[in-house]
Amino acid sequence: MTSDHFAAAELARLCAAKGIRHVVISPGSRSAPLVIAFHQQPEITCLQVIDERSAAFFALGMAQQLHAPVALVCTSGSAVLNYGPAIAEAFYQRIPLMVITADRPEEWVDQGEGQAIRQQGVLALHMKRSVQLPRLTNDELARWHCGRLINEAIDATLLPVAGPVHVNVPFMEPLYGTTEEVGSTRFIAPVMTESFILPEHARWLIGQLSACRKVMVLAGQGVWSEGLKQQLMQLAALPQVSIHTEATSNLDDPSFITCIDRVIEAVNDKNMEALRPDLLITFGGAVVSKRVKTLLRQWKPSQHWNIDLGQRHYDTYQSLTHDIAVSPEVFFAQLAPSVQPRESLYRDGWKLLDETTRGTHHRLVSEAPFCDLTVFSTVLDRIPGDSAVHLANSTPARYAQLFDRVRGHRWFSNRGTSGIDGCTSTAVGAAFATQQLTTLITGDIAFCYDSNAFWNGHLSPLLKVIVIDNGGGNIFRYIEGPDKDAALLPYFEAPHTRNIGALVKSFDLPYYHTHDQASLEAGIDKLYATHDKPAVLHITTDALTSPKVLRDYFKNLREA
């Protein structure tokens, strides 16, 4: 049995045929044909999440971990608009989501009909593709058209690069009818291809890398293959090359500069010219460090090559000279083995700064009072090595960049748009998809904002949540500007009166509270004990101490 609405039946059938295995459904009536059709597909698991905003981030977290499209289904009207934040995040992170929205007939838009908004293409600015399926499919031509649109939409979630796709489906009542057979359209199979650099261009690029004395490679957000890491290690052995990565780059090696923000504080007028790259090579998604962005925009390297299969023409550093449309794996596999060493002190110069600031960092952390900095030091050192770590925006994503990563964690963060609105829901979806240990480090504002993440029947007991509560938006006490006017600071900092313990207990989750070093260490042990639900560790720090310590931290790094 399936829905007697042809478009709904074909969507479910083709999604199953093309490998979609999960659909996240939020309640509603207009989407009944879709629910009926997907429920009858034995290959697909249907998951209910009530809040559409949280549901979309939950699906994003799943797709992020599965590296495969996850479908979303909701009813018409404002329900669709609640998908917006997660769709924007998926668009910039290139995470495959198949967004399927039920709609009223187009004829009723702007005619006073309930839940009939201007829904066609409403999310198009942050979609790879938006399609409207035909309402009437009574003849073969209309059915052929409907099937072709569905084939194209599903394939577009992955090719040529991943991302969200929107399929809007108008339905006439009645909505709940079923049938044994509604016919079917052709399955169109995608054929996977791979781009590569033409030999003559590869020779020129290799020549540039071999001749240049100062080459910086900067890796953005992503989860990369071991082969890519080996190729970067091969380049890092060359005296003219310095490799720079962040936590969310998921590329850690002793030969790389892995704490960019920490090292950059040691750049000054005396060493700046020696450290300024002549050639900058970038790849991957967003870079967290505002410091490196500011510095590279100031330096303006003579050449900047951006490696991106989707040709985004990212000119983040206002110096882009070459846009290379291949995957980073292909680029470095073609070039790295052939690059020749060039006499240079560039790599060693950066490594010297790295070693100097590392020693200063350890001293400053050991001398600091209990605050956000010492909390991160303890937490990052004691998260079990087999955990995926999700960093909420904005304080956790920044603090994590200051610490060496030696425990083999996998790092994730919603840095596509850098919003706080779905950090918890994303981690909930990721933990459900992997059924592996998953740690979310979040702040009190982000945690409260996305608390509906726990209004979800698919919570994994392997999810561990660490809430660092510094009194609300504490980063604004550190950033220059917002703290200048005490009367205006509350509008930026957003202090709140929510009782986080009561909030957690309202979802019947294990809850632990710490407020000093001794209780923190004991609390971490309790958090990572075995539970049958996600557990939450709530850490309170002083709102005034943490930003002062952080300011002094960077000041001391500069002076060292």
Side-chain angles (χ1 to χ4, degrees):
M1 297 292 290
T2 188
S3 170
D4 59 3
H5 285 265
F6 177 82
E10 276 302 271
L11 260 171
R13 184 183 73 84
L14 288 172
C15 280
K18 288 179 176 285
I20 292 179
R21 293 294 174 259
H22 299 88
V23 56
V24 179
I25 300 171
S26 295
S29 179
R30 189 60 49 167
S31 53
L34 296 166
V35 174
I36 292 167
F38 276 103
H39 184 71
Q40 295 300 324
Q41 289 293 331
E43 302 97 332
I44 292 179
T45 300
C46 294
L47 306 165
Q48 186 214 55
V49 179
I50 294 171
D51 179 338
E52 285 90 0
R53 182 178 60 80
S54 180
F57 279 107
F58 176 79
L60 181 145
M62 291 181 64
Q64 175 194 75
Q65 299 299 317
L66 297 172
H67 306 290
V70 172
L72 281 161
V73 168
C74 74
T75 191
S76 63
S78 60
V80 179
L81 302 179
N82 282 294
Y83 281 164
I87 296 309
E89 184 65 34
F91 180 79
Y92 287 108
Q93 269 201 64
R94 288 183 173 165
I95 293 176
L97 291 179
M98 182 70 175
V99 182
I100 304 169
T101 57
D103 200 358
R104 259 63 175 173
E106 189 175 1
E107 294 85 345
W108 283 116
V109 175
D110 295 337
Q111 298 304 309
E113 179 71 359
Q115 289 185 258
I117 68 171
R118 301 175 187 181
Q119 196 166 301
Q120 184 175 351
V122 72
L123 301 170
L125 285 177
H126 293 105
M127 289 288 181
K128 284 187 63 191
R129 184 173 175 81
S130 293
V131 301
Q132 171 103 346
L133 298 188
R135 178 170 66 83
L136 300 175
T137 53
N138 299 327
D139 58 72
E140 287 302 315
L141 183 62
R143 293 188 175 204
W144 166 81
H145 181 219
C146 183
R148 178 174 61 79
L149 290 173
I150 295 170
N151 271 282
E152 290 176 4
I154 300 172
D155 292 348
T157 61
L158 290 172
L159 299 172
V161 294
V165 171
H166 181 202
V167 177
N168 194 53
V169 197
F171 293 117
M172 282 283 290
E173 297 180 11
L175 303 170
Y176 293 86
T178 60
T179 182
E180 290 287 349
E181 181 62 50
V182 294
S184 61
T185 58
R186 183 184 296 114
F187 172 86
I188 302 173
V191 177
M192 304 302 291
T193 61
E194 183 67 89
S195 301
F196 64 93
I197 305 170
L198 295 176
E200 60 269 28
H201 292 282
R203 284 192 293 271
W204 182 84
L205 294 168
I206 291 167
Q208 293 292 304
L209 280 166
S210 300
C212 188
R213 292 182 182 274
K214 297 186 293 182
V215 180
M216 177 187 287
V217 179
L218 178 59
Q221 182 172 14
V223 178
W224 309 103
S225 66
E226 183 62 27
L228 174 61
K229 181 177 177 180
Q230 294 298 319
Q231 292 149 14
L232 290 174
M233 291 168 61
Q234 192 171 6
L235 284 177
L238 301 172
Q240 73 266 36
V241 178
S242 182
I243 311 291
H244 296 241
T245 71
E246 297 187 311
T248 49
S249 305
N250 288 292
L251 290 167
D252 292 324
D253 186 79
S255 63
F256 302 163
I257 304 297
T258 58
C259 296
I260 299 173
D261 272 357
R262 195 174 74 192
V263 174
I264 279 180
E265 288 304 307
V267 176
N268 55 42
D269 292 341
K270 295 180 180 179
N271 58 29
M272 184 174 292
E273 186 56 34
L275 298 171
R276 183 181 68 84
D278 296 324
L279 169 58
L280 172 66
I281 301 174
T282 57
F283 68 94
V287 170
V288 175
S289 173
K290 187 174 181 179
R291 285 175 168 78
V292 79
K293 293 176 188 176
T294 301
L295 195 58
L296 286 170
R297 287 167 187 162
Q298 175 187 341
W299 277 345
K300 295 195 184 308
S302 300
Q303 291 191 65
H304 173 198
W305 305 349
N306 189 53
I307 319 304
D308 191 285
L309 182 61
Q311 276 193 301
R312 283 190 276 206
H313 281 84
Y314 267 6
D315 195 10
T316 308
Y317 311 104
Q318 298 178 309
S319 56
L320 185 66
T321 58
H322 296 78
D323 188 68
I324 304 174
V326 296
S327 69
E329 282 86 354
V330 168
F331 175 86
F332 289 108
Q334 279 193 259
L335 270 59
S338 301
V339 178
Q340 298 301 306
R342 176 70 190 269
E343 183 178 348
S344 174
L345 296 174
Y346 191 65
R347 176 199 60 196
D348 292 343
W350 277 108
K351 292 303 291 183
L352 179 61
L353 259 64
D354 189 29
E355 293 167 8
T356 301
T357 54
R358 178 180 292 109
T360 305
H361 163 87
H362 289 308
R363 176 178 62 82
L364 294 173
V365 172
S366 67
E367 295 173 352
F370 186 76
C371 62
D372 288 357
L373 186 68
T374 60
V375 165
F376 271 92
S377 178
T378 301
V379 165
L380 296 179
D381 186 56
R382 298 189 59 167
I383 295 174
D386 57 347
S387 180
V389 182
H390 287 250
L391 300 169
N393 292 306
S394 60
T395 299
R398 289 177 170 88
Y399 268 102
Q401 312 305 327
L402 303 177
F403 295 87
D404 294 306
R405 298 173 294 280
V406 295
R407 300 176 65 82
H409 299 131
R410 302 173 305 284
W411 300 85
F412 302 92
S413 185
N414 284 352
R415 296 302 295 181
T417 60
S418 304
I420 67 168
D421 38 7
C423 300
T424 308
S425 294
T426 302
V428 168
F432 174 81
T434 63
Q435 289 301 306
Q436 295 175 354
L437 184 62
T438 301
T439 301
L440 168 67
I441 305 176
T442 184
D444 48 315
I445 295 294
F447 181 78
C448 292
Y449 195 104
D450 194 24
S451 59
N452 267 5
F454 300 113
W455 191 20
N456 185 317
H458 313 289
L459 301 177
S460 169
L462 294 175
L463 175 64
K464 310 295 183 180
V465 181
I466 298 173
V467 183
I468 302 176
D469 181 355
N470 50 31
N474 193 252
I475 192 67
F476 291 105
R477 288 185 177 268
Y478 171 75
I479 297 173
E480 292 287 348
D483 65 337
K484 298 299 184 185
D485 190 329
L488 293 179
L489 185 59
Y491 293 98
F492 300 107
E493 190 183 18
H496 62 91
T497 57
R498 297 295 300 274
N499 184 325
I500 289 179
L503 178 61
V504 173
K505 291 173 183 177
S506 73
F507 291 104
D508 194 26
L509 302 179
Y511 169 80
Y512 308 101
H513 178 244
T514 69
H515 62 279
D516 58 22
Q517 187 63 30
S519 63
L520 172 60
E521 294 177 8
I524 292 174
D525 291 338
K526 295 174 183 176
L527 179 73
Y528 287 102
T530 301
H531 302 90
D532 59 1
K533 298 176 181 179
V536 177
L537 176 63
H538 177 203
I539 307 165
T540 54
T541 60
D542 183 72
L544 299 179
T545 300
S546 291
K548 180 182 184 305
V549 168
L550 191 59
R551 286 183 190 276
D552 290 344
Y553 170 87
F554 283 115
K555 178 176 179 290
N556 279 279
L557 284 177
R558 286 191 294 273
E559 292 174 352

mmCIF file of all heavy atoms in Angstrom, residues 369-388:
data_model
loop_
_atom_site.group_PDB
_atom_site.id
_atom_site.type_symbol
_atom_site.label_atom_id
_atom_site.label_comp_id
_atom_site.label_asym_id
_atom_site.label_seq_id
_atom_site.Cartn_x
_atom_site.Cartn_y
_atom_site.Cartn_z
ATOM 1 N N PRO A 369 43.406 31.075 37.699
ATOM 2 C CA PRO A 369 42.365 30.631 38.633
ATOM 3 C C PRO A 369 41.303 29.832 37.872
ATOM 4 O O PRO A 369 41.319 29.757 36.640
ATOM 5 C CB PRO A 369 41.791 31.947 39.157
ATOM 6 C CG PRO A 369 42.000 32.913 38.032
ATOM 7 C CD PRO A 369 43.304 32.525 37.396
ATOM 8 N N PHE A 370 40.373 29.256 38.613
ATOM 9 C CA PHE A 370 39.297 28.498 37.978
ATOM 10 C C PHE A 370 38.471 29.439 37.091
ATOM 11 O O PHE A 370 37.928 30.443 37.566
ATOM 12 C CB PHE A 370 38.407 27.857 39.045
ATOM 13 C CG PHE A 370 37.359 26.937 38.480
ATOM 14 C CD1 PHE A 370 37.695 25.676 38.034
ATOM 15 C CD2 PHE A 370 36.026 27.344 38.393
ATOM 16 C CE1 PHE A 370 36.730 24.815 37.512
ATOM 17 C CE2 PHE A 370 35.054 26.494 37.873
ATOM 18 C CZ PHE A 370 35.410 25.227 37.423
ATOM 19 N N CYS A 371 38.414 29.126 35.798
ATOM 20 C CA CYS A 371 37.748 29.989 34.825
ATOM 21 C C CYS A 371 37.511 29.176 33.554
ATOM 22 O O CYS A 371 37.844 27.979 33.500
ATOM 23 C CB CYS A 371 38.606 31.226 34.516
ATOM 24 S SG CYS A 371 40.199 30.808 33.774
ATOM 25 N N ASP A 372 36.971 29.814 32.535
ATOM 26 C CA ASP A 372 36.696 29.101 31.290
ATOM 27 C C ASP A 372 37.958 28.456 30.713
ATOM 28 O O ASP A 372 37.921 27.330 30.203
ATOM 29 C CB ASP A 372 36.093 30.046 30.248
ATOM 30 C CG ASP A 372 34.666 30.445 30.577
ATOM 31 O OD1 ASP A 372 34.126 29.943 31.588
ATOM 32 O OD2 ASP A 372 34.080 31.251 29.834
ATOM 33 N N LEU A 373 39.076 29.163 30.760
ATOM 34 C CA LEU A 373 40.321 28.639 30.188
ATOM 35 C C LEU A 373 40.747 27.357 30.879
ATOM 36 O O LEU A 373 41.094 26.368 30.214
ATOM 37 C CB LEU A 373 41.422 29.692 30.295
ATOM 38 C CG LEU A 373 42.755 29.341 29.617
ATOM 39 C CD1 LEU A 373 42.602 29.317 28.103
ATOM 40 C CD2 LEU A 373 43.846 30.332 30.032
ATOM 41 N N THR A 374 40.728 27.324 32.205
ATOM 42 C CA THR A 374 41.145 26.117 32.924
ATOM 43 C C THR A 374 40.112 25.005 32.782
ATOM 44 O O THR A 374 40.467 23.825 32.767
ATOM 45 C CB THR A 374 41.386 26.424 34.405
ATOM 46 O OG1 THR A 374 40.175 26.915 35.001
ATOM 47 C CG2 THR A 374 42.477 27.467 34.573
ATOM 48 N N VAL A 375 38.838 25.392 32.667
ATOM 49 C CA VAL A 375 37.796 24.383 32.442
ATOM 50 C C VAL A 375 38.036 23.663 31.119
ATOM 51 O O VAL A 375 37.987 22.428 31.045
ATOM 52 C CB VAL A 375 36.397 25.031 32.470
ATOM 53 C CG1 VAL A 375 35.349 24.076 31.877
ATOM 54 C CG2 VAL A 375 36.017 25.400 33.895
ATOM 55 N N PHE A 376 38.309 24.432 30.059
ATOM 56 C CA PHE A 376 38.568 23.799 28.762
ATOM 57 C C PHE A 376 39.808 22.924 28.813
ATOM 58 O O PHE A 376 39.844 21.838 28.221
ATOM 59 C CB PHE A 376 38.708 24.866 27.666
ATOM 60 C CG PHE A 376 37.410 25.228 27.028
ATOM 61 C CD1 PHE A 376 36.662 26.283 27.518
ATOM 62 C CD2 PHE A 376 36.914 24.499 25.962
ATOM 63 C CE1 PHE A 376 35.445 26.617 26.938
ATOM 64 C CE2 PHE A 376 35.698 24.827 25.381
ATOM 65 C CZ PHE A 376 34.958 25.886 25.868
ATOM 66 N N SER A 377 40.828 23.363 29.518
ATOM 67 C CA SER A 377 42.030 22.557 29.641
ATOM 68 C C SER A 377 41.726 21.198 30.266
ATOM 69 O O SER A 377 42.161 20.150 29.780
ATOM 70 C CB SER A 377 43.062 23.303 30.488
ATOM 71 O OG SER A 377 44.225 22.525 30.658
ATOM 72 N N THR A 378 40.947 21.217 31.335
ATOM 73 C CA THR A 378 40.609 19.970 32.029
ATOM 74 C C THR A 378 39.680 19.106 31.190
ATOM 75 O O THR A 378 39.895 17.892 31.031
ATOM 76 C CB THR A 378 39.944 20.279 33.382
ATOM 77 O OG1 THR A 378 40.831 21.061 34.175
ATOM 78 C CG2 THR A 378 39.579 19.004 34.119
ATOM 79 N N VAL A 379 38.645 19.713 30.630
ATOM 80 C CA VAL A 379 37.655 18.964 29.861
ATOM 81 C C VAL A 379 38.288 18.309 28.640
ATOM 82 O O VAL A 379 38.094 17.104 28.379
ATOM 83 C CB VAL A 379 36.494 19.898 29.444
ATOM 84 C CG1 VAL A 379 35.657 19.257 28.343
ATOM 85 C CG2 VAL A 379 35.626 20.235 30.652
ATOM 86 N N LEU A 380 39.058 19.082 27.875
ATOM 87 C CA LEU A 380 39.640 18.539 26.638
ATOM 88 C C LEU A 380 40.649 17.440 26.937
ATOM 89 O O LEU A 380 40.851 16.536 26.117
ATOM 90 C CB LEU A 380 40.286 19.655 25.826
ATOM 91 C CG LEU A 380 39.336 20.729 25.298
ATOM 92 C CD1 LEU A 380 40.104 21.794 24.532
ATOM 93 C CD2 LEU A 380 38.266 20.112 24.413
ATOM 94 N N ASP A 381 41.260 17.513 28.108
ATOM 95 C CA ASP A 381 42.234 16.483 28.471
ATOM 96 C C ASP A 381 41.573 15.191 28.930
ATOM 97 O O ASP A 381 42.181 14.123 28.872
ATOM 98 C CB ASP A 381 43.145 17.018 29.583
ATOM 99 C CG ASP A 381 44.278 16.054 29.916
ATOM 100 O OD1 ASP A 381 45.028 15.690 28.995
ATOM 101 O OD2 ASP A 381 44.411 15.668 31.094
ATOM 102 N N ARG A 382 40.285 15.280 29.361
ATOM 103 C CA ARG A 382 39.668 14.106 29.977
ATOM 104 C C ARG A 382 38.511 13.523 29.182
ATOM 105 O O ARG A 382 37.918 12.526 29.600
ATOM 106 C CB ARG A 382 39.212 14.469 31.399
ATOM 107 C CG ARG A 382 40.402 14.883 32.280
ATOM 108 C CD ARG A 382 40.028 15.027 33.720
ATOM 109 N NE ARG A 382 39.478 13.798 34.289
ATOM 110 C CZ ARG A 382 39.313 13.588 35.582
ATOM 111 N NH1 ARG A 382 39.673 14.519 36.447
ATOM 112 N NH2 ARG A 382 38.782 12.474 36.014
ATOM 113 N N ILE A 383 38.184 14.102 28.042
ATOM 114 C CA ILE A 383 37.184 13.467 27.182
ATOM 115 C C ILE A 383 37.781 12.177 26.643
ATOM 116 O O ILE A 383 38.898 12.180 26.110
ATOM 117 C CB ILE A 383 36.795 14.394 26.013
ATOM 118 C CG1 ILE A 383 36.100 15.653 26.525
ATOM 119 C CG2 ILE A 383 35.878 13.667 25.029
ATOM 120 C CD1 ILE A 383 35.809 16.681 25.442
ATOM 121 N N PRO A 384 37.088 11.047 26.763
ATOM 122 C CA PRO A 384 37.634 9.787 26.251
ATOM 123 C C PRO A 384 38.036 9.903 24.782
ATOM 124 O O PRO A 384 37.393 10.587 23.985
ATOM 125 C CB PRO A 384 36.467 8.804 26.440
ATOM 126 C CG PRO A 384 35.686 9.377 27.583
ATOM 127 C CD PRO A 384 35.793 10.870 27.436
ATOM 128 N N GLY A 385 39.116 9.230 24.443
ATOM 129 C CA GLY A 385 39.706 9.364 23.117
ATOM 130 C C GLY A 385 38.851 8.885 21.971
ATOM 131 O O GLY A 385 39.110 9.224 20.819
ATOM 132 N N ASP A 386 37.825 8.088 22.236
ATOM 133 C CA ASP A 386 36.993 7.573 21.143
ATOM 134 C C ASP A 386 35.755 8.434 20.898
ATOM 135 O O ASP A 386 34.831 8.032 20.201
ATOM 136 C CB ASP A 386 36.552 6.136 21.433
ATOM 137 C CG ASP A 386 35.799 6.015 22.758
ATOM 138 O OD1 ASP A 386 35.827 6.972 23.549
ATOM 139 O OD2 ASP A 386 35.186 4.949 22.998
ATOM 140 N N SER A 387 35.740 9.649 21.443
ATOM 141 C CA SER A 387 34.548 10.494 21.339
ATOM 142 C C SER A 387 34.627 11.426 20.137
ATOM 143 O O SER A 387 35.688 11.967 19.809
ATOM 144 C CB SER A 387 34.388 11.342 22.614
ATOM 145 O OG SER A 387 33.238 12.162 22.536
ATOM 146 N N ALA A 388 33.493 11.607 19.470
ATOM 147 C CA ALA A 388 33.326 12.734 18.556
ATOM 148 C C ALA A 388 32.959 13.942 19.401
ATOM 149 O O ALA A 388 32.119 13.846 20.302
ATOM 150 C CB ALA A 388 32.231 12.439 17.538
#
